[in-house]
Amino acid sequence: IPAYTNCYGFHGVHGRSLAAASGLKLARPDLTVVVASGDGDGFSIGGNHFLHGCRRNVDLTYVVMDNHVYGMTKGQPSPTTEPDWDSKLSPGGTGLRTFHPLVIALAAGANFVARAFAGDPNGTADIIAEAIRTPGFSFVEILSPCVTFRPEQREWKQLARPAPVTYTDDAARAARRIMTDDGFNIGVLYKGDRKPYQPPIGKGKKRPSDLETEFAL
């Protein structure tokens, strides 16, 4: 993503982007930090970081492009793949309950939760901008069709629509709304007022040479 934007970027280990980004933001709170991920690394190998990123509420924005499939590694089911999706790699489907990132984000403590659609770039840009302006951990799920392995996702263009109600600051109410929609309501769904986590930044009390002496043999 940084290659296509006017910003500094860091490409970290698969599934660990939030760990690196959290450390960066806490050490340099003056920076605007935006993290890009996918439904595979974000909710599978990086699921633990997702939970605790929401819980810590560090002031950064987490953008996850969700296509319900591992689109870069031959189309295996991802955590958000429907349990009955039939493919050569999962005949008959996985039978596993779908991971619900928006509800998980709310339950874990994210301060801003939204869903966007890649087929609406202007609307998506507006949502990301609002997420960046909102203090605390902001989570944006972007429905991003992968028509190579899931050609039926071309229908998402007709299914995606603005949410019928405005956002709420009540996490329980937002969760009920999200749990009862069909996954295609687009817009800001929840905006809270939790204070972002930021420990005080000061000068170090020790120099590297002081630490070295503690390990001298």
Side-chain angles (χ1 to χ4, degrees), residues 81-166:
T81 301
E82 300 81 358
D84 59 350
W85 180 62
D86 183 70
S87 69
K88 294 180 179 179
L89 296 172
S90 59
T94 63
L96 299 175
R97 178 171 178 165
T98 302
F99 185 87
H100 208 316
L102 298 177
V103 174
I104 296 296
L106 280 168
N111 205 45
F112 178 99
V113 177
R115 182 190 287 129
F117 174 53
D120 176 22
N122 292 333
T124 297
D126 290 340
I127 289 174
I128 293 176
E130 187 171 355
I132 293 172
R133 289 193 294 263
T134 302
F137 188 93
S138 296
F139 171 59
V140 181
E141 176 194 42
I142 302 181
L143 299 178
S144 307
C146 177
V147 298
T148 299
F149 294 108
R150 302 205 58 176
E152 71 276 11
Q153 290 181 350
R154 289 188 174 92
E155 298 178 3
W156 284 9
K157 188 173 183 179
Q158 285 72 46
L159 295 173
R161 61 193 177 278
V165 293
T166 58

